[in-house]
Amino acid sequence: MTLLASALVMSESTLAIEPPGKALAAKIGVPWPAVIAHRGASFDAPEETIPAYMLARELGADYLEMDIQRTRDGVLIALHDDTLRRTTNIAQVYPDRITQPVSSFTLAELKQLDAGSWFNTAFPARARSSYVGLKILTLDEVIDIAEGGENKPGLYIETKVPAQFPGIEEDLKNALAKRGWLDQRPEAAKGRVNVAHMPGRVVLQTFEKPSLELLQKSMPQVPKVLLLWLGDGYIQASSDATFKTSGAKDKASFYAGQDVKSEAEFAAWMAWAKAHGAIGIGPSSALKDGGDQSYMDLVKPWMNRMAHDKGLIIHPYTVDDEVDFKALSARGVDGFFTNRAAQLLAFYGRPSAESLDTLLRRNGY
Ligand code: G3P
Ligand code: CA
């Protein structure tokens, strides 16, 4: 074999074993592939509560994912919905305020709510009496959990409905700085999750372009991910059909039939993300078995190639089943937002040595 031929063989084999996102992630200082515990270990415990985040940390997730909003008295809290109906007992505590936005409540008012019992009703097979009476958490309390174990996960923070919270990006910067999360953090013990020590210890995420710009202005050094959606002011879709006009049998089928208007449209979003400080994208994905987490397929192979070519890593949301972990990994994604951190860790060959039940019991749940 000539020198040139052997060099070609070597570079081909190097390409085959070194996925493009892996090198990008290493350059940014983000773990690869990444296990992002979506609202904590939220399949097994009420989302964005102490047991959900504690469990994610103990299982060995790389990141605790949370949605940040702000109370009327200016405290940053972790909560997904912009009202309290789905995940609390607001109907009993403040029956005349059921449809009011989270931003209209003080922290003291929110702390009156039970953010755990809804889970027991919705998921009786996973219910625990210890979930009754769980509280909505502040950002500070989530940080306490991230810092509180032997594993040291990072924080993957979304600015939720940021237009409702002018200045929240700067508030977030001040809160993270106060807790020392914008500086180097101590190293975890050997063999433990050590993401909090890495440059990508915090990843900031948003669906909203104006919020990404403000995050970039406030925290230029912190990695940022632009979350992707199709239609309604986001990436332009190939059709104007709505679920109602489409005749699709369910929302997942409708979303699965949606596509981007053109490659040029997708490329324009990648270029915008890169130019405004993003190090990655958070695309929706169409799941094999559908369901209410199954959206538009924005992780098509050509899209992933385009994102990687632009220097962007890819963390799709929200994926819980092995069949999808496998299919999307084969398309080159760089980790997942998942409610089932235990399953994803096992898929990546990093299973927890202890069961979910053991971890919950040992920690008082
Ligand atoms: O943040 C990624 C993913 O969480 C986006 O969806 O609605 O669960 O915040 P959502
Ligand atoms: Ca989120």
Side-chain angles (χ1 to χ4, degrees):
M1 192 183 284
T2 66
L3 217 59
L4 178 63
S6 62
L8 279 173
V9 168
M10 262 190 63
S11 70
E12 273 173 17
S13 65
T14 310
L15 280 176
I17 57 169
E18 185 78 351
K22 186 175 181 182
L24 288 171
K27 210 165 134 192
I28 304 156
V30 166
W32 189 98
V35 176
I36 305 158
H38 181 248
R39 311 181 200 172
S42 58
F43 183 85
D44 295 287
E47 64 187 58
E48 311 205 28
T49 64
I50 293 179
Y53 286 122
M54 175 280 297
L55 193 53
R57 180 196 72 201
E58 293 300 293
L59 286 165
D62 294 309
Y63 287 105
L64 309 185
E65 195 266 353
M66 75 202 82
D67 305 286
I68 288 295
Q69 302 191 56
R70 191 173 59 205
T71 64
R72 197 174 84 209
D73 49 340
V75 183
L76 298 185
I77 57 160
L79 194 76
H80 180 269
D81 296 7
D82 61 354
T83 62
L84 295 144
R85 178 182 262 166
R86 183 179 63 88
T87 60
T88 76
N89 63 340
I90 188 166
Q92 280 83 58
V93 183
Y94 307 114
D96 53 340
R97 300 177 71 186
I98 291 172
T99 57
Q100 285 186 9
V102 170
S103 56
S104 67
F105 291 78
T106 64
L107 182 64
E109 287 171 338
L110 293 178
K111 287 285 188 184
Q112 299 303 310
L113 297 170
D114 173 348
S117 291
W118 72 273
F119 181 93
N120 289 351
T121 307
F123 309 111
R126 284 168 258 152
R128 288 180 178 255
S129 56
S130 56
Y131 291 164
V132 174
L134 291 172
K135 300 295 179 201
I136 290 172
L137 300 177
T138 63
L139 169 63
D140 262 327
E141 288 167 332
V142 181
I143 292 176
D144 289 342
I145 299 168
E147 293 177 356
E150 292 287 309
N151 286 331
K152 303 294 181 192
L155 306 170
Y156 209 118
I157 306 174
E158 179 180 353
T159 51
K160 207 62 171 175
V161 284
Q164 278 188 28
F165 303 106
I168 198 166
E169 295 81 4
E170 193 65 12
D171 288 352
L172 184 54
K173 175 190 131 177
N174 293 333
L176 291 169
K178 198 167 165 197
R179 294 297 298 262
W181 276 74
L182 296 182
D183 301 312
Q184 179 62 285
R185 298 199 54 76
E187 198 165 5
K190 214 169 167 47
R192 292 296 190 164
V193 173
N194 194 28
V195 177
H197 182 67
M198 297 170 71
R201 68 187 74 89
V202 175
V203 177
L204 304 169
Q205 42 155 349
T206 181
F207 282 101
E208 311 303 330
K209 284 179 169 179
S211 191
L212 186 76
E213 289 178 294
L214 291 169
L215 289 169
Q216 178 66 359
K217 199 170 160 205
S218 288
M219 292 171 273
Q221 77 285 15
V222 178
K224 284 159 216 84
V225 160
L226 182 64
L227 301 169
L228 303 184
W229 187 254
L230 209 55
D232 296 335
Y234 298 94
I235 300 177
Q236 216 178 328
S238 57
S239 110
D240 291 334
T242 62
F243 172 54
K244 277 193 179 146
T245 61
S246 70
K249 69 174 170 28
D250 54 35
K251 281 204 171 165
S253 315
F254 166 66
Y255 287 131
Q258 293 279 93
D259 206 351
V260 295
K261 186 179 173 214
S262 63
E263 287 196 17
E265 168 72 1
F266 194 79
W269 275 73
M270 296 305 98
W272 190 94
K274 187 70 185 174
H276 291 82
I279 56 86
I281 52 169
S284 59
S285 52
L287 307 174
K288 181 174 174 292
D289 294 330
D292 57 11
Q293 288 179 178
S294 189
Y295 301 114
M296 297 75 57
D297 181 1
L298 296 180
V299 278
K300 293 192 167 79
W302 69 265
M303 295 170 170
N304 295 343
R305 271 195 302 278
M306 198 180 265
H308 281 150
D309 286 350
K310 201 77 196 164
L312 297 164
I313 60 170
I314 304 160
H315 291 159
Y317 62 90
T318 302
V319 183
D320 288 348
D321 292 327
E322 183 166 346
V323 64
D324 298 306
F325 297 151
K326 211 167 173 176
L328 299 183
S329 296
R331 295 189 194 177
V333 305
D334 303 307
F336 295 98
F337 291 88
T338 183
N339 301 321
R340 305 190 76 172
Q343 275 69 12
L344 182 55
L345 286 161
F347 174 75
Y348 284 149
R350 298 163 45 191
S352 165
E354 294 179 290
S355 72
L356 292 157
D357 187 58
T358 302
L359 293 172
L360 282 164
R361 281 176 191 276
R362 183 144 49 75
N363 287 280
Y365 295 92

